[in-house]
Amino acid sequence: KAGVTQTPRYLIKTRGQQVTLSCSPISGHRSVSWYQQTPGQGLQFLFEYFSETQRNKGNFPGRFSGRQFSNSRSEMNVSTLELGDSALYLCASSPGQGAYGYTFGSGTRLTVV
Amino acid sequence: DAKTTQPTSMDCAEGRAANLPCNHSTISGNEYVYWYRQIHSQGPQYIIHGLKNNETNEMASLIITEDRKSSTLILPHATLRDTAVYYCTPSGGSNYKLTFGKGTLLTVNP
């Protein structure tokens, strides 16, 4: 079956702009999580959604937001981009209930210039 | 969040078993121990998870100590393609998130 699909794969934005990243989970998975990966901070949790509800949020400023649609697809938005937002953004999906491993997508590489 | 401690790096000869330790002494009673690995620039890949009992799947075995404060991931016959950063991360309950530390860079040598 198809894996987790993230679009776009690469993105270059200018400081001050905003960006929207998209994630399509594995069919049947109702939980979608987002992570930011940078060389300095490693993998950090952004937020998790289940059935369109945010169940947990990481320690990121309000410029980072997300949402989940009724078909479980998810988007995350970063407003007023800063140079430090340059990172690999990873999306992961899981059935959402019970102890299951998360399946990660290949990520979106965001570069802010 | 439960904290984890893993060796920064390890080497293993191809074909030999790779044993990767993880200390998670602050793990909560309802948290599972998950192991993931990440090959450069790719998304992390789920390997295995467990609560109390030892677990085995087609990729690896997981040994969890009786007090649940540490675990060991075993790759029985390491190959060059197993070279990656390996992360252990407790998760579960109402957590709904994975907390990644620095992980262990496993290098499998020919």
Side-chain angles (χ1 to χ4, degrees), chain B residues 10-23:
Chain B
M10 296 181 66
D11 286 323
C12 177
E14 189 177 19
R16 303 298 295 270
N19 295 271
L20 294 96
C22 178
N23 179 288

Side-chain angles (χ1 to χ4, degrees), chain A residues 33 35 37 40 43 45 48 55-56 88 90 96 98-102 104-106 109, chain B residues 32 34 36 38 41-46 49 87 91 94-98 100-102:
Chain A
S33 303
Y35 291 81
Q37 186 170 30
L43 277 158
F45 170 77
E48 190 264 0
R55 294 195 296 190
N56 202 352
L88 180 65
L90 291 156
Y100 292 93
Y102 287 87
F104 282 79
S106 297
R109 173 75 61 185
Chain B
Y32 286 73
Y34 286 82
Y36 288 79
Q38 186 174 28
S41 294
Q42 296 181 19
Q45 177 190 22
Y46 164 79
H49 72 277
Y87 300 97
S91 180
S94 59
N95 199 329
Y96 308 121
K97 71 176 183 180
L98 302 171
F100 293 93
K102 301 291 186 185

Side-chain angles (χ1 to χ4, degrees), chain B residues 62-88:
Chain B
L62 175 61
I63 309 296
I64 303 173
T65 58
E66 193 170 339
D67 62 9
R68 301 210 328 121
K69 292 184 177 181
S70 65
S71 62
T72 300
L73 178 75
I74 302 171
L75 306 178
H77 305 286
T79 70
L80 299 179
R81 287 184 292 183
D82 291 323
T83 293
V85 178
Y86 287 76
Y87 300 97
C88 72

Side-chain angles (χ1 to χ4, degrees), chain A residues 21-71:
Chain A
L21 310 181
S22 179
C23 173
S24 294
I26 289 174
S27 178
H29 283 191
R30 295 166 65 189
S31 167
V32 174
S33 303
W34 289 89
Y35 291 81
Q36 181 197 65
Q37 186 170 30
T38 60
Q41 299 298 318
L43 277 158
Q44 293 186 288
F45 170 77
L46 280 157
F47 23 67
E48 190 264 0
Y49 289 89
F50 177 79
S51 293
E52 302 179 70
T53 299
Q54 186 181 89
R55 294 195 296 190
N56 202 352
K57 187 178 189 304
N59 189 24
F60 279 82
R63 300 185 297 107
F64 292 81
S65 63
R67 59 177 176 170
Q68 186 181 34
F69 302 97
S70 58
N71 62 358

